Every structure is written in C-alpha cells, then in structure tokens.
Amino acid sequence: MDFIVRFTQSHETFRVPEIEALASPFCIVTLPSEDAAKRLIHRSILVQAIYEHWASSTTLPALQDQIKLTKNHLRPEYQTCSFKFTFDSFQGTRTHAAKVAIINSFAFLAFQGPIVLRNPDEEFVVLEEWKSKSTVLGITEPERLYFGRLVGGGARDLAGVYTLKKRGYISTTSMDSELALVTANIALAAPGKMFYDPFVGTGSFPIACSHFGALSFGSDIDGRAIRGQGKAKSVRGNFKQYGIEYLLGGMFVADLTNTPIRVSPDRRIFDGIVCDPPYGVREGLKVLGCRDPEKMPWSVEAGKERSHLPDYIPPKKPYSFLAMLDDILAFSAATLVDNGRLAFWMPTANDEAEEIKIPSHPCFEVVAVCSQEFNKWSRKLIAYRRIPDSDVSKDALEAWTNRQIQKEEGTTANELNPFRRMYFTRFESQ
C-alpha cells in the first residue's frame, strides 16, 4: 500500500533520516499495511500526518480520473460512514469559495454517510503543493495535487509536552526538546534498550530516550549540573516531572577519559549513545586530571584524600576538540552492541574550506547526517551504526588507533580546538 507522509515545515534535513530510522513536505512511502503506517508515524516528531494514497497528479481533473480508475471510493466501508473533506495547501492558498467548489467536484465519490466536521469516521484530504511565492507571483494553480484518506497523526505534540519553557531544571545549553526527541528517534530509543549520554548536562537526551521507553544513564564532568539545586531542580527532578523516573538508570560524575564504566570488547552493554558534546567556545575544553602531575603532586594527593567528599571539585586539564571526537567514537565502539547507534552533535563552519570533517571509525557506518545552520556556522547531528566485529577490518582499526596517538597538539584552548579558533577569528569578525 502507498501512503502520503505530510512533514512539518521545520528541520528539513532531519525529516527523511527520522522516517528511515523509524522504518518536499509530501513523501510517498510504500508500506505493507495500514497498521504498519500507524506504527511508523505514531512517534515521529517531524510528521504531521500520514494518508492512504489514492491519487496524485498535476491537475484536478487528472487527479479525479485516477481516483475513478483505482475505485478505492467504491469500498463498502466508505459508503455509509460519517466523513469530512479537508484541504492542506503548501506555499499557496485558495479562497473559501474555491475550496467548496473543489470539494463539490468530488460528488462522483457518492458517499452516502453524513458529513461530520468533528471526529468523523473517515477524513479525506486534498493536498496541494504550490510553487514558492505563488501568491506574490499571481499563480492560480498548484504544481501538484494529492488525494488521500487520513490514517494517523504524528507526535508533534510531544515537543510541547517536553518544551524547555515548562521544564523545571534547564541551563543555557539544554537541547531543544524537539531536536532531542528527533535524536532519540534516529538513535532508535525503545523499551528494553539501555541508552547513555556522556555529556548529560540537565538531561535533555536521556529524558527524550526514556520517553520512548529506554532505560537511560548519564554522566558529566561537572557533578553540579546533575545535582542541580535540589530535588525538583535536578536531572532526577526533570525525570520525575514527566513521570518517567523509573526509567532513570543512574547519573555519575566522569568523562570519557576517566570513566567507571568497564570498557571491554566482550562486555558491550549500550544499545545507544546520544550526546551534545561541549563546543569549548566560552571556555576551553577540559577533562579530569592535572596538566602536569609531577609538578603538582599536592593536587594528586588532595584528590586521593578528598575525592569521596560531596563538595570536592576535581582538577581539570585542557582537552583537544578533535581528540574528544575520537574518544567518543572509541568509547562507543567499545560499549555499543552490534548494530547499536551513536548519535552526537558536532559544530562546524558553513564554508566548505573551513568545515570540520565528519569523524570516522572502522567500527562505525554513518547512517545519517543532518544540519542545523546558524548564520556563519552550523551544527550537525551525525548518526552511526556499530558494525559487528566480524565485519570490521583489523588493519583499518589498527591504522585508526595508531593515527589517534598523534592527535593532541598544542596547549592553549585555541590550539586544541579548531572550531573555537574559527569562531573567534573568522565568524565574529565577519
């Protein structure tokens, strides 16, 4: 069966990856059944609705001729049920009188049931795709028309349910609820799965993953971000606000270079890893540790004596941005199950000459790259699939590991972070 997917007008580059992960603004997809269409769409954030596709053409008469040929309207279940007609015009509009005239032209369908405008048994729709700026240009007809029967709606309302405006605990870097939910979809969060965010902050990604049923874990280099300001204003408080506290697996203080998680090729436990790593713009990137332990033995000893105290703040040292990206891939390769997904956000320039390349790893296949632009720079959502070990090239893995040894160079924040360097020397000066 063919179905028409009606996307929202937001985050265009994320639309197809989200639909592909779950299995123009209009997209025709082929699915085995109506139930399959409902299952596909019920958790999609970037889809308004899905319709059973009856016909599509460039003119109204040709559209109606197609309907007559398919004879879908002659099915017995549509002859006596209540129904209504609706319009969905993209980039164009019609007067009320024009809409009524078009609806009346479908009289050949000969439905015998009552017209009910609120909660009818069936809803039929005329979808129109107009040329850009059609009103300004005086264009009077759409480029293409579709006709279909409403099958189900997407989960657009979830963005409002989880909006940061109503969340009890957030920070300036908390991920927008809509994009967090889309990220969770692309990473295939679902019941029975374990997900982890190594840069958890105020918990936007674990909350999104747990909404879809995943058991979520998280860590952050700054424990104060996790603990917040009390029971309500904390990561746990956010989970409790949405009634999903039972899906909070745990939160702890760590970074990827100093983690309590056992990393072993025989013990890969996560089904998904999702994160928005720090970009290191306002301040340089840091990891736990001393810059020079031999020159600061007192700091090491203080850590051994005071690390168990709740007010202890461990020392930090500068961290390379590119090394961080490699560490995310290496950690994920060592902890994700076969076919598990890694989805993380990465900043980059809009200028192709300055663009930071998408990180690669022999254990991963890139399944989606989505981009959100901010004038001079962008951030990309990159999603990977963990390739089974049997399909990973040992030579490529060895070469990648040896290459990483050469990664960290420099000592200042700008030397260690090419994006930060571009941000201050190129973006802000333009």
Side-chain angles (χ1 to χ4, degrees):
M1 298 176 68
D2 286 347
F3 296 87
I4 308 167
V5 174
R6 201 324 182 176
F7 290 105
T8 66
Q9 287 312 111
S10 62
H11 307 302
E12 287 84 353
T13 64
F14 295 74
R15 293 171 178 167
V16 174
E18 187 195 29
I19 285 296
E20 287 180 341
L22 297 174
S24 117
F26 305 116
C27 172
I28 297 179
V29 298
T30 301
L31 300 167
S33 67
E34 184 173 318
D35 285 341
K38 291 178 179 178
R39 287 197 302 271
L40 170 69
I41 233 67
H42 86 279
R43 59 179 272 178
S44 174
I45 309 303
L46 300 180
V47 166
Q48 287 185 359
I50 189 167
Y51 306 91
E52 182 185 15
H53 178 229
W54 282 22
S56 59
S57 189
T58 55
T59 66
L60 182 62
L63 180 79
Q64 294 176 338
D65 286 342
Q66 277 194 33
I67 296 173
K68 293 173 184 177
L69 287 174
T70 62
K71 299 183 180 180
N72 283 325
H73 61 292
L74 298 179
R75 296 180 197 168
E77 60 265 33
Y78 304 139
Q79 297 308 303
T80 58
C81 67
S82 63
F83 69 95
K84 74 172 182 179
F85 273 75
T86 56
F87 261 83
D88 187 342
S89 297
F90 172 62
Q91 297 186 147
T93 185
R94 292 186 186 273
T95 65
H96 177 70
K99 291 180 181 179
V100 171
I102 291 176
I103 289 174
N104 288 337
S105 72
F106 282 89
F108 68 89
L109 296 176
F111 295 151
Q112 302 300 312
I115 297 174
V116 177
L117 299 183
R118 182 174 295 182
N119 298 322
D121 295 328
E122 299 291 351
E123 179 177 335
F124 299 92
V125 63
V126 177
L127 300 152
E128 297 183 329
E129 190 170 0
W130 294 69
K131 188 175 181 179
S132 179
K133 300 179 181 179
S134 58
T135 303
V136 176
L137 297 173
I139 297 173
T140 59
E141 293 297 330
E143 290 189 312
R144 193 162 192 82
L145 300 94
Y146 305 84
F147 186 84
R149 179 180 64 87
L150 180 66
V151 171
R156 287 291 298 160
D157 59 321
L158 287 180
V161 172
Y162 288 94
T163 177
L164 298 181
K165 295 179 181 178
K166 299 179 182 178
R167 188 170 299 176
Y169 175 56
I170 63 171
S171 71
T172 56
T173 58
S174 295
M175 177 61 71
D176 167 74
S177 61
E178 184 177 42
L179 289 177
L181 289 161
V182 171
T183 303
N185 265 341
I186 292 175
L188 301 179
K193 293 186 176 183
M194 291 175 57
F195 270 63
Y196 173 57
D197 181 353
F199 306 94
V200 72
T202 60
S204 290
F205 287 120
I207 287 170
C209 293
S210 288
H211 166 80
F212 293 122
L215 180 66
S216 295
F217 296 81
S219 65
D220 201 285
I221 193 172
D222 189 349
R224 293 171 295 182
I226 298 172
R227 293 189 293 270
Q229 305 166 25
K231 291 184 178 180
K233 291 185 175 296
S234 65
V235 173
R236 182 172 292 278
N238 284 342
F239 270 76
K240 190 172 183 180
Q241 175 182 345
Y242 298 116
I244 52 176
E245 189 177 5
Y246 67 99
L247 288 171
L248 175 58
M251 300 283 160
F252 52 92
V253 180
D255 64 47
L256 288 180
T257 64
N258 297 274
T259 177
I261 297 174
R262 292 184 182 178
V263 177
S264 167
D266 301 323
R267 195 172 179 273
R268 293 189 274 132
I269 59 173
F270 294 122
D271 298 282
I273 294 175
V274 291
C275 60
D276 182 25
Y279 303 158
V281 172
R282 282 176 292 183
E283 59 181 48
L285 295 172
K286 304 283 186 181
V287 289
L288 298 175
C290 298
R291 187 192 298 264
D292 193 340
E294 294 183 1
K295 292 183 179 180
M296 301 175 66
W298 56 269
S299 181
V300 177
E301 291 302 318
K304 293 178 180 178
E305 294 176 3
R306 302 186 62 245
S307 61
H308 65 286
L309 300 177
D311 62 344
Y312 174 70
I313 301 177
K316 301 177 181 67
K317 63 181 181 179
Y319 191 26
S320 162
F321 176 80
L322 298 179
M324 177 185 69
L325 298 179
D326 279 354
D327 285 340
I328 292 172
L329 288 168
F331 175 85
S332 301
T335 56
L336 279 173
V337 301
D338 287 354
N339 299 310
R341 290 206 172 181
L342 163 66
F344 72 85
W345 290 79
M346 184 189 81
T348 188
N350 289 340
D351 185 345
E352 290 186 7
E354 302 290 346
E355 186 177 13
I356 299 173
K357 293 182 179 179
I358 295 172
S360 62
H361 189 287
C363 292
F364 284 105
E365 170 195 18
V366 176
V367 294
V369 178
C370 312
S371 183
Q372 183 184 27
E373 294 191 2
F374 301 100
N375 194 14
K376 301 295 182 182
W377 68 283
S378 303
R379 62 178 178 180
K380 295 182 183 295
L381 171 61
I382 310 167
Y384 304 82
R385 177 183 70 90
R386 176 53 161 97
I387 301 171
D389 284 339
S390 57
D391 298 334
V392 176
S393 166
K394 292 183 179 179
D395 292 339
L397 185 58
E398 183 179 356
W400 186 92
T401 304
N402 291 336
R403 174 191 63 85
Q404 182 161 326
I405 295 174
Q406 310 296 323
K407 188 56 83 173
E408 285 198 48
E409 296 179 0
T411 57
T412 68
N414 275 353
E415 289 173 340
L416 292 169
N417 189 340
F419 176 74
R420 187 178 196 270
R421 186 166 59 250
M422 285 187 294
Y423 189 92
F424 285 117
T425 60
R426 309 245 177 138
F427 304 158
E428 288 205 337
S429 61
Q430 294 179 7

